[in-house]
């Protein structure tokens, strides 16, 4: 299809040849915050400490693409969270983190069709590892916040690949894993909602915007605007 087409209510396709099957692909990569889960973890950490307005404003600007340096935006937000106790972060995980409707259905369907599943996030391993265990995800890449004396220092820990998983790191992770698996980028699906997901979405065979910012919806081959993540199965039967 050369133009945007309403495939079903709340489900838009553009430049996508149909029909396709999930088993045509070998890897599916998901963003985490506001994609696999319903919250933005860093905003919720800020909320329990009374700083949500300041942090959420930076998050929203970054996701819309108004702040073009994701690394800088994350460092700004982390600095505002210096001194937050780990007990508050545990509260967010236990009380506020909720899987997006359809997430488990889609991940299970992907596994059943022979795909590997990657969670690649500009968020934190503290939450990503929990989501990995809930959904049986195969691979995770995310940021690791620094903790000292039971509190956030406001910094991030260097990992073998770097310190911050931004849009370019998401792209590099997806393409690197595809190479290790011996598959082509065209055999990969990438699902996200924000501007920092665009680099990986542009690099793969099928890009999926989930309840996404307008800029992301405009570029994606599939846009899920209503309902859960499992609506992708309406396109990839």
């Amino acid at each position: 299809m050369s133009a945007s087409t309403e495939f079903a209510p709340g489900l838009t396709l553009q430049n996508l040849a149909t029909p396709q099957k999930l088993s045509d692909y070998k890897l599916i990569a998901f963003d985490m915050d506001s994609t696999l889960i319903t919250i933005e973890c860093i905003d919720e950490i800020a909320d329990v400490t009374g700083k949500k307005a300041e942090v959420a404003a930076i998050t929203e600007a970054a996701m819309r693409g108004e702040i073009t340096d994701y690394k800088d935006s994350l460092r700004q937000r982390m600095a505002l969270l210096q001194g937050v106790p780990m007990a508050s972060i545990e509260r967010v995980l236990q009380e506020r983190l909720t899987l997006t409707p359809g997430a488990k259905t889609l991940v299970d369907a992907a596994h059943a069709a022979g795909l590997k599943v990657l969670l690649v996030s500009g968020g934190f391993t503290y939450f990503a590892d929990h989501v990995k265990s809930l959904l049986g995800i195969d691979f995770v890449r995310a940021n690791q916040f620094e903790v000292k004396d039971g509190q956030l220092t406001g910094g991030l820990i260097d990992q073998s690949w770097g310190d911050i998983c931004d849009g370019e790191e998401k792209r590099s992770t997806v393409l690197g894993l595809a190479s290790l698996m011996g598959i082509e980028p065209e055999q990969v699906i990438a699902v996200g909602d924000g501007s920092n997901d665009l680099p990986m979405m542009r690099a793969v065979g099928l890009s999926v915007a989930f309840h996404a910012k307008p800029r992301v919806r405009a570029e994606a081959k599939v846009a899920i605007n209503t309902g859960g993540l499992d609506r992708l199965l309406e396109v990839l039967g």
Side-chain angles (χ1 to χ4, degrees):
M1 297 181 183
S2 59
S4 178
T5 302
E6 189 77 4
F7 180 77
L11 190 61
T12 303
L13 310 185
Q14 55 188 0
N15 301 313
L16 181 67
T18 55
Q20 295 188 14
K21 297 182 296 181
L22 192 56
S23 58
D24 293 336
Y25 299 90
K26 301 299 181 185
L27 173 66
I28 184 167
F30 291 97
D31 172 50
M32 180 174 70
D33 295 68
S34 298
T35 302
L36 277 178
I37 62 177
T38 61
I39 63 170
E40 292 284 336
C41 291
I42 195 167
D43 293 355
E44 296 306 315
I45 294 169
D47 188 40
V48 299
T49 57
K51 296 182 179 179
K52 185 169 186 177
E54 297 167 82
V55 171
I58 300 171
T59 301
E60 182 66 15
M63 292 302 99
R64 287 197 303 261
E66 294 169 4
I67 298 177
T68 55
D69 188 337
Y70 180 83
K71 291 185 177 182
D72 184 54
S73 79
L74 184 57
R75 290 188 180 106
Q76 288 180 41
R77 287 174 285 171
M78 287 303 301
L80 290 168
L81 299 181
Q82 182 178 359
V84 172
M86 284 301 297
S88 295
I89 296 170
E90 176 67 16
R91 279 181 55 202
V92 171
L93 187 147
Q94 295 296 335
E95 299 175 9
R96 302 192 180 198
L97 189 150
T98 304
L99 294 176
T100 296
K104 181 167 175 51
T105 300
L106 180 54
V107 169
D108 287 351
H111 278 141
L115 285 74
K116 295 295 185 181
V117 180
L118 166 68
L119 187 166
V120 58
S121 174
F124 305 112
T125 55
Y126 186 86
F127 301 100
D129 289 343
H130 179 70
V131 174
K132 176 184 179 182
S133 68
L134 291 176
L135 293 174
I137 287 171
D138 301 291
F139 308 102
V140 166
R141 176 150 295 178
N143 305 309
Q144 188 171 355
F145 47 61
E146 185 178 52
V147 179
K148 186 175 181 179
D149 299 326
Q151 298 180 339
L152 296 187
T153 68
L156 295 158
I157 295 174
D158 281 343
Q159 301 181 68
S160 60
W161 46 266
D163 64 338
I164 294 179
C165 185
D166 62 355
E168 286 308 313
E169 181 59 34
K170 288 189 175 194
R171 176 182 178 276
S172 177
T173 299
V174 169
L175 294 180
L177 181 55
S179 178
L180 287 172
M181 291 175 61
I183 64 173
E184 297 299 320
E186 289 74 20
Q187 295 173 287
V188 181
I189 303 168
V191 187
D193 72 304
S195 291
N196 64 325
D197 297 312
L198 285 172
M200 71 171 178
M201 291 170 69
R202 291 167 179 155
V204 302
L206 181 61
S207 53
V208 181
F210 181 72
H211 292 222
K213 302 298 183 287
R215 180 181 174 191
V216 182
R217 290 200 307 268
E219 290 199 33
K221 290 185 177 179
V222 177
I224 301 171
N225 303 316
T226 62
L229 278 167
D230 55 338
R231 293 209 66 191
L232 183 58
L233 299 175
E234 296 177 36
V235 181
L236 303 175

